[in-house]
Structure formats: C-alpha cells, structure tokens
Amino acid sequence: MSLYLADDRRRKQEGEHLTNVVKVRFTDAELADIESAAAMTTGGRIAPLLHELSLEALEARRMKQAQLLDDLANGRALDDSARQVLADLMARNAERHLLDKVAQQAMA
C-alpha cells in the first residue's frame, strides 16, 4: 500500500471531497513525463501529483513575489528577469484593482 492511499480523497469525511474540477491539456511528451513522476510518487495516479505540484508552485510563486517586493521596497538591485517578473506582478495587481472598481461601480 502506498503512502498516498492514507490521504486518498475518496476516504475523506463527507463534505470534504474535492468539488472543483479543472481540466488541463498536455502534449504527449509532457504527459509521459507526468506519468513517469506519478508512477514514482502516487502509485501512477496523475491527479494527486498535479494537485500537489500546483499547490507547491503557487506557494513558490507567492514567496518569489514577496521577495521581489521586499527587494524593491528596500532598494536592492534587481536583475532584468526580476524586473520583468515584478512588472508583470504589478500589471496584474493594477488590472485586478481596476476590474474590482468597475465591478463595484456596476453594482452601485
């Protein structure tokens, strides 16, 4: 029995099942790579591997963005790639802020 089965979502208490389905498409080469990784970690099951990797990647992104903002706030030098990531982050934040304002005005 693999370690994963103890955390298998089918064994969760009622009301704790995953309900938000996301469909992602991969190339054949990407899928083969994912299947290989799943075979070594989750008994060949792709969904739990992708779930875990997605959450890890999201946390890593948040940490990197926080570090970039801290570097900016404290006047530390940024290389070209860091400046581009920071510019993208700021653009997304500005867009989100504008969309929220438009939505609020539409509701008023």
Side-chain angles (χ1 to χ4, degrees):
M1 178 186 265
S2 78
L3 294 175
Y4 173 73
L5 291 179
D7 295 329
D8 192 328
R9 76 180 189 97
R10 293 171 296 176
R11 297 171 194 242
K12 289 187 177 183
Q13 297 295 321
E14 188 62 34
E16 292 185 18
H17 290 276
L18 301 177
T19 57
N20 299 306
V21 176
V22 176
K23 295 182 180 183
V24 182
R25 292 179 177 86
F26 297 100
T27 65
D28 290 341
E30 291 168 338
L31 186 58
D33 194 27
I34 292 167
E35 288 172 337
S36 175
M40 293 187 296
T41 58
T42 57
R45 299 186 62 215
I46 295 172
L49 175 66
L50 293 179
H51 180 261
E52 180 181 328
L53 293 174
S54 297
L55 295 177
E56 287 176 12
L58 183 58
E59 181 60 25
R61 174 184 271 182
R62 286 180 180 149
M63 290 171 55
K64 181 172 181 151
Q65 290 172 348
Q67 183 61 51
L68 286 172
L69 291 173
D70 185 63
D71 288 347
L72 181 66
N74 291 302
R76 292 194 274 287
L78 301 175
D79 63 20
D80 288 340
S81 68
R83 278 194 289 278
Q84 184 60 50
V85 170
L86 188 57
D88 293 343
L89 172 63
M90 293 171 78
R92 282 193 306 272
N93 285 338
E95 181 180 17
R96 190 175 310 126
H97 179 72
L98 289 172
L99 291 174
D100 287 346
K101 275 195 161 218
V102 168
Q104 289 173 357
Q105 289 174 350
M107 295 172 90

